[in-house]
Amino acid sequence: MEKTIRVKVNGREYERVVEPRLLLVHFLREDLELTGTHIGCETTVCGACTVLLEGRSVKACSIFAVQADGKEITTIEGMASHGDMHAVQEAFWNEHGLQCGFCTPGMIMSVEQLLNDNANPTKDEIRHGIEGNLCRCTGYQHIINAVEAAAKAKAGA
Amino acid sequence: MATTTTTPELKTYIGKRVRRVEDPRLITGTATYVDDIRKPGMLHAAVLRSPYAAAKITGIAIEKALALPGVKAVYTGKDVAAVGPVPCAGSMEDLRIPDHRILARERVYYVGHPVVAVVATDRYIAADALDLIEVDYEPTEVISDPEEALKDGAVRVHPEYPDNVAFTYKQAKGDVDKAFEEADFTCEERILVPRLAPIPMETRGVVADWDEGAKELTLYSSTQIPHLLKTQLALQLDMPEHHIRVIAPEVGGGFGSKCNVWAEEALACFVAMDLKKPIKWIESRRESIQVVAHGRAHVDTIEIAAKKDGTLTGLKLHIVCDIGAHHQLLTPIIPTLAVLMLPGLYKFRSFKASLVGAFTNRAPSDLYRGAGRPEATYVLERIVDKMARILGMDPAEIRFKNFPEPAEFPFETVTGLQYDSGDYAAAFHKALDKIDYKACREEQKKARAEGRLYGIGISTYGELCAFGPSPATPAGGWECASVNVKATGKVEVLTGISPHGQGEETSFSQMVADAFGIPMSDVVVIHGDTAKVSYGIGTFGSRGIAIGGSALHLAMQDIVAKATKYAAHILDVDADTVTFKNGTFSSSAAEQTLSFADVALETHLCRKLPPGTEPGLTATRFFEPSNFAFPFGAHICTVEVDQETGETTILRFVAVDDCGKIINPLLVEGQIHGGVAQGLGPAFMEGVIYDEEGQLLNGTMMDYAIPKARHMPWIETDRTETPSTVNPLGVKGVGEAGTIGSLPAFVNAVVDALSPLGVDHVDIPMTPQSIWRVIQERSRS
């Protein structure tokens, strides 16, 4: 029943034997000990588990680890490089785009894709871009500020 | 426009928009929430819950589950009978507290009632094992609706009681009957305040770890109250309290739902001690919506009496509170807060309130952000609007008419509260100016002439915060802070509050940095570990800075006093000549100066110990407030309702809040924004729905809606700053303000929009469907 999979996560290759039913989010959190990706609802609604799979945001609670076989994944742990925060992370920090922080890793991954697709989004485009990510703390206003600030920082970089 | 944030290279920090010290770990995925904790040999627990709202348990077959490879143990109610009941802190004379065991025994009382616990080597096997357990239920009659539950002959939730009355509570002052007789106008409304699921993004979760050698139990729990939880666990488990350590790791939101003592906490502890293995239990979202105490759950009838000049004279309220089948920690206390805060910001002369808690076959209700005050504010602000309409008065005018003047503070309300300080008219004027109220009314005239449904809604709210004076809180309302200055001049703060998103690691660091003239990076704020912090009450009721910060303030005063003695002795001058400013001790009698770090080192080296002074530089202080603090403000909302679809668009939302003195405006805005989202969610989308059989109909996040980014208006915030008089910081508290103020502003706006159709009330949640239905009915009649 078990299957060997090979994945590249945050630039590092892993080979692991997994049960076919193992969800990608549990694989990341428990097999690879990358606990920055969170589980909020188990039904794809909240987006706390968002990661990038082959550069596109997916909800890791709703796909199996075996579906990621041979693929490349970026999680929140892969965003900062050599201790330097990613522009989106820095913007969330500067703009107070988080409170309890539980939704934040998934939110940041969604914003990363949003800004890759649209470098200069309007407020409404930002709202649409984070449609799949729920935050119960911030009322989203500071998150929208953070996305605008990140877009500006990226453009200036 | 994005806001600009100052970076922490500042001379002083209080009052500045300082970004948070908590954030680096949270935005890089390196923070440790409870599900991120792993212990060697750790097992995973899962809980089987009742699918019935009321049933007798006639048999439980666990053999198949036990036979599944990887399953280590199965527990039923009988197996955990040694664990004491889930606590309830209510104290009314007629309060009935049914025996609330951590797993059901003979009966189940609500959908989601925990029945069996399974422990296995991983969470998948634990979940598989739940499917192999066979529970024989004999369903019994269900009573789901709280008003039906109180009728004669209703099915009884707990057969041992003659009826479903869980408790009653009455308050009155002045001759309210006379006020109603002599009033020029009276009006009445029946208002539903639905059950709400708190939905912190992180569900509940625990890891229990038993050290057999040291006989020490460690519980990691996603909790707002680690210290109170520790004491309660000692009682439930009949264990010495000093052998229990509770740690609140990173907590992913609470909103009151984690200010509780939950069955699963004691359960995990019991199992960990029984199996001598670490036990992890992580709640699923479905379980969370099912059983994490729902907030609100009122059916309110409110009546108001007024003179024709708009003077409000009398108020009557009857609350039926659906408490569910069992009490949680504060279940009976929360609706009493609605009674206390009923007069809001107005000078009523008389009132009468009665409250009945009704047992139903539903999950327990308890505190949720605002806890009693949103309910009170909502019904009051609705009825005041209705009275204004009857009087033909502008809803702003009737509010101004009934505010106490600033000179009247401390102001005693008709319910006997002493409001600390306030200038209600100032905050309200600011909000009216900000939204340009006159222009909005002009716009409304124009819209109405064009047949459009445009509404303006006002809410002037007050709240009771900074919980609180100990006599008025069930487990003490004080707070504790220790300040330990290290030999190197670095400062460690230990606080009894337990922040989980509010940001006190930052705001407390700002306070310390300013008080000692050191950089914020020289300060660390430790919380949420009962083995590090001596004791505390926790974070809830907008108390973190007002109470916890005040304790810190006192401890810092002690530090400065002692350090000044040292400095005087080292400088060889009289202590009276020494001043401490911007981190430097200086004296008019000496040329030499000493930095804070210099003195810190001397207090540890003790080369020149001042006579009668002990080594070291630490202080622990407790702060007991003399009263609650009373924040206030005004929220104004404009909306347009689409007649064809019933969809409401919020055009503008202005929030002017007064939470007293402010340490960090950036964090205050964040609290307001989030609070407003939790007030608006229930206004137009949220609500737990049960059917007549007590089945929960929207038990996942596919069905229970909370606001997404596109549902939220842009919140235009501003503030007035009236210092509180009940703590040395002048702080009032801000955690709940947005939730309390926003809901009535939205509802009043929608009712105002619909008023040309003759509508004077619509219950929440005001979904497009419910609004469309009202429009259709009114258009036909």
Side-chain angles (χ1 to χ4, degrees):
Chain A
M1 273 293 277
E2 292 187 333
K3 192 175 180 321
T4 301
I5 61 167
R6 279 193 195 87
V7 291
K8 192 173 184 183
V9 182
N10 302 331
R12 201 176 139 189
E13 310 258 5
Y14 296 89
E15 186 180 302
R16 290 286 190 279
V17 180
V18 299
E19 270 195 76
R21 66 172 178 171
L22 183 69
L23 294 171
L24 178 61
V25 71
H26 287 134
F27 173 74
L28 292 170
R29 289 178 49 79
E30 294 181 11
D31 292 59
L32 304 189
E33 297 185 28
L34 294 169
T35 55
T37 303
H38 299 146
I39 306 169
C41 74
E42 312 114 21
T43 50
T44 75
V45 179
C46 84
C49 63
T50 306
V51 298
L52 301 184
L53 181 68
E54 299 288 278
R56 304 298 295 170
S57 65
V58 297
K59 292 179 175 174
C61 75
S62 302
I63 63 170
F64 296 111
V66 291
Q67 291 174 281
D69 188 18
K71 298 200 165 104
E72 204 166 317
I73 295 166
T74 309
T75 70
I76 189 68
E77 288 92 344
M79 291 295 277
S81 64
H82 307 295
D84 285 337
M85 278 195 207
H86 186 278
V88 177
Q89 291 172 317
E90 190 81 31
F92 269 71
W93 189 11
N94 286 336
E95 302 301 329
H96 189 31
L98 62 150
Q99 288 177 29
C100 83
F102 197 77
C103 76
T104 311
M107 191 71 82
I108 287 174
M109 300 315 287
S110 286
V111 169
E112 172 66 0
Q113 177 175 332
L114 163 65
L115 293 180
N116 286 341
D117 291 350
N118 179 356
N120 189 21
T122 64
K123 278 194 173 59
D124 275 344
E125 285 167 344
I126 295 168
R127 290 188 178 101
H128 181 69
I130 57 171
E131 172 86 16
N133 294 75
L134 295 176
C135 170
R136 193 64 154 163
C137 291
T138 63
Y140 304 98
Q141 195 152 319
H142 282 162
I143 292 177
I144 293 169
N145 285 343
V147 179
E148 286 182 331
K152 223 169 155 183
K154 279 187 152 191
Chain B
M1 261 304 283
T3 53
T4 44
T5 309
T6 47
T7 46
E9 286 105 37
L10 297 164
K11 290 246 166 56
T12 61
Y13 300 94
I14 291 177
K16 308 266 168 66
R17 303 171 72 82
V18 178
R19 64 182 186 173
R20 297 198 312 175
V21 300
E22 290 89 341
D23 288 358
R25 65 178 189 262
L26 298 169
I27 54 184
T28 53
T30 49
T32 303
Y33 296 86
V34 70
D35 197 15
D36 305 338
I37 294 165
R38 250 193 217 205
K39 297 281 172 185
M42 187 171 78
L43 301 174
H44 296 260
V47 176
L48 185 68
R49 296 174 186 278
S50 170
Y52 294 103
K56 283 181 191 163
I57 298 173
T58 54
I60 300 178
I62 62 169
E63 294 74 17
K64 283 184 197 162
L66 272 174
L68 185 71
V71 171
K72 297 295 177 187
V74 176
Y75 296 85
T76 66
K78 225 170 38 209
D79 303 320
V80 297
V83 179
V86 177
C88 166
S91 59
M92 294 93 169
E93 256 174 45
D94 64 353
L95 177 63
R96 289 170 175 158
I97 303 182
D99 194 24
H100 184 184
R101 294 285 150 179
I102 62 169
L103 292 175
R105 299 289 299 272
E106 288 86 14
R107 283 171 179 269
V108 289
Y109 296 98
Y110 58 94
V111 170
H113 197 150
V115 180
V116 183
V118 167
V119 182
T121 49
D122 85 26
R123 67 179 86 209
Y124 285 62
I125 297 171
D128 289 342
L130 292 187
D131 292 340
L132 298 174
I133 294 166
E134 289 160 10
V135 181
D136 291 328
Y137 292 104
E138 190 183 293
T140 57
E141 277 191 282
V142 173
I143 186 81
S144 176
D145 181 87
E147 288 180 298
E148 292 296 320
L150 294 175
K151 287 183 178 163
D152 285 344
V155 173
R156 283 171 292 163
V157 175
H158 298 281
E160 65 269 33
Y161 300 133
D163 55 41
N164 291 314
V165 176
F167 60 90
T168 59
Y169 179 78
K170 285 194 172 81
Q171 287 288 319
K173 197 179 173 192
D175 195 341
V176 73
D177 293 328
K178 195 170 160 214
F180 273 77
E181 273 164 33
E182 292 177 355
D184 294 320
F185 294 95
T186 64
C187 67
E188 179 182 339
E189 195 69 71
R190 180 177 184 273
I191 300 177
L192 304 179
V193 195
R195 275 179 174 248
L196 301 175
I199 319 255
M201 293 316 299
E202 181 204 32
T203 58
R204 291 181 299 147
V206 295
V207 173
D209 194 7
W210 169 245
D211 183 330
E212 178 73 11
K215 302 281 179 233
E216 189 186 76
L217 174 70
T218 301
L219 180 72
Y220 299 82
S221 181
S222 184
T223 181
Q224 300 172 228
I225 48 167
H227 301 278
L228 300 182
L229 175 58
K230 180 187 68 162
T231 304
Q232 290 301 327
L233 283 173
L235 299 171
Q236 268 185 289
L237 300 168
D238 194 19
M239 260 185 81
E241 187 178 352
H242 60 303
H243 286 215
I244 302 176
R245 175 183 186 184
V246 174
I247 298 173
E250 209 74 65
V251 172
F255 316 118
S257 71
K258 294 172 182 171
C259 178
N260 224 313
V261 176
W262 291 104
E264 294 85 351
E265 289 169 324
L267 177 66
C269 291
F270 179 86
V271 173
M273 289 190 285
D274 191 44
L275 299 179
K276 304 193 179 1
K277 291 277 187 191
I279 301 295
K280 178 184 276 190
W281 172 75
I282 301 296
E283 182 180 55
S284 71
R285 180 58 64 186
R286 181 182 285 267
E287 288 177 293
S288 173
I289 297 179
Q290 238 175 26
V291 305
V292 170
H294 302 139
R296 320 291 189 251
H298 282 203
V299 180
D300 291 347
T301 309
I302 184 160
E303 293 173 71
I304 192 173
K307 292 185 184 157
K308 55 179 179 265
D309 68 354
T311 306
L312 301 173
T313 54
L315 191 55
K316 293 185 201 171
L317 175 70
H318 180 64
I319 300 173
V320 174
C321 183
D322 167 11
I323 71 141
H326 279 134
H327 297 286
Q328 277 290 334
L329 189 63
L330 303 170
T331 303
I333 296 171
I334 300 307
T336 66
L337 297 175
V339 171
L340 288 174
M341 271 317 288
L342 181 63
L345 301 187
Y346 312 122
K347 293 173 69 172
F348 283 95
R349 278 78 179 161
S350 63
F351 94 112
K352 180 162 81 176
S354 55
L355 157 64
V356 185
F359 285 127
T360 61
N361 289 115
R362 296 176 174 182
S365 62
D366 202 337
L367 70 167
Y368 167 54
R369 199 171 192 168
R373 290 93 84 206
E375 296 91 315
T377 307
Y378 174 47
V379 298
L380 176 68
E381 289 300 286
R382 284 296 307 120
I383 201 77
V384 166
D385 248 35
K386 186 169 176 172
M387 180 55 85
R389 202 154 278 142
I390 290 169
L391 295 170
M393 261 177 111
D394 187 284
E397 195 188 338
I398 194 169
R399 287 172 166 86
F400 279 122
K401 177 102 195 157
N402 290 282
F403 290 152
E405 296 291 327
E408 291 179 72
F409 288 85
F411 174 75
E412 184 168 334
T413 70
V414 71
T415 52
L417 296 172
Q418 288 266 334
Y419 288 178
D420 53 346
S421 60
D423 187 343
Y424 302 154
F428 190 24
H429 273 304
K430 202 164 195 174
L432 291 167
D433 290 348
K434 195 170 179 75
I435 204 157
D436 198 345
Y437 185 64
K438 260 193 190 151
C440 291
R441 286 290 172 208
E442 288 303 316
E443 173 63 26
Q444 181 173 49
K445 268 186 208 155
K446 210 175 97 198
R448 283 183 177 166
E450 294 165 6
R452 288 187 290 128
L453 300 174
Y454 175 102
I456 306 158
I458 292 169
S459 152
T460 48
Y461 76 93
E463 53 164 334
L464 133 158
C465 274
F467 281 68
S470 292
T473 35
W478 47 270
E479 207 43 87
C480 169
S482 300
V483 176
N484 299 328
V485 182
K486 306 296 181 186
T488 52
K490 308 292 182 195
V491 179
E492 178 184 81
V493 173
L494 302 160
T495 175
I497 64 162
S498 199
H500 42 282
Q502 294 85 352
E504 273 92 353
E505 289 176 37
T506 304
S507 47
F508 282 12
S509 293
Q510 289 176 260
M511 289 171 60
V512 175
D514 276 10
F516 296 159
I518 57 177
M520 277 177 68
S521 54
D522 281 2
V523 185
V524 64
V525 178
I526 294 168
H527 56 82
D529 183 344
T530 65
K532 291 183 179 167
V533 179
S534 64
Y535 205 77
I537 307 299
T539 291
F540 57 88
S542 304
R543 68 193 302 279
I545 297 180
I547 314 299
S550 292
L552 170 61
H553 173 81
L554 297 178
M556 291 193 301
Q557 283 184 333
D558 284 6
I559 294 285
V560 170
K562 186 171 181 184
T564 303
K565 263 195 209 170
Y566 265 94
H569 192 62
I570 294 161
L571 297 174
D572 204 15
V573 297
D574 197 50
D576 296 345
T577 68
V578 175
T579 55
F580 180 54
K581 213 179 154 195
N582 299 329
T584 304
F585 293 90
S586 58
S587 164
S588 51
E591 272 183 31
Q592 191 197 349
T593 62
L594 294 168
S595 71
F596 182 73
D598 293 336
V599 176
L601 184 64
E602 289 304 326
T603 63
H604 286 75
L605 298 181
C606 298
R607 291 177 296 203
K608 217 175 162 193
L609 190 66
T613 307
E614 292 167 8
L617 194 53
T618 72
T620 294
R621 288 292 294 271
F622 293 77
F623 177 68
E624 168 66 32
S626 57
N627 190 4
F628 297 104
F630 295 87
F632 57 91
H635 289 199
I636 308 179
C637 174
T638 55
V639 300
E640 186 156 345
V641 179
D642 185 323
Q643 304 209 42
E644 303 299 318
T645 64
E647 192 138 8
T648 301
T649 305
I650 300 178
L651 304 171
R652 285 183 69 191
F653 194 100
V654 165
V656 174
D657 299 278
D658 192 321
C659 57
K661 285 287 198 190
I662 283 176
I663 309 289
N664 188 330
L666 186 64
L667 272 55
V668 167
E669 280 164 27
Q671 288 296 316
I672 294 293
H673 295 162
V676 168
Q678 287 187 30
L680 292 181
F684 54 70
M685 63 204 305
E686 291 183 42
V688 173
I689 305 166
Y690 282 96
D691 72 6
E692 286 176 0
E693 292 303 310
Q695 286 295 331
L696 176 60
L697 300 184
N698 53 348
T700 73
M701 282 171 82
M702 309 284 264
D703 324 287
Y704 188 96
I706 65 170
K708 296 182 173 189
R710 70 179 161 86
H711 298 116
M712 286 299 297
W714 197 255
I715 303 158
E716 302 170 50
T717 56
D718 207 336
R719 61 176 175 271
T720 57
E721 201 171 298
T722 312
S724 176
T725 53
V726 299
N727 62 63
L729 302 177
V731 163
K732 286 185 179 234
V734 71
E736 297 157 294
T739 303
I740 296 166
S742 58
L743 164 66
F746 176 88
V747 176
N748 283 344
V750 176
V751 172
D752 187 46
L754 299 176
S755 62
L757 304 174
V759 173
D760 64 5
H761 182 67
V762 182
D763 272 318
I764 55 170
M766 298 173 123
T767 60
Q769 184 190 18
S770 77
I771 298 297
W772 181 84
R773 194 168 283 156
V774 168
I775 294 170
Q776 295 304 306
E777 281 165 10
R778 292 292 166 166
S779 307
R780 272 200 302 274
S781 61

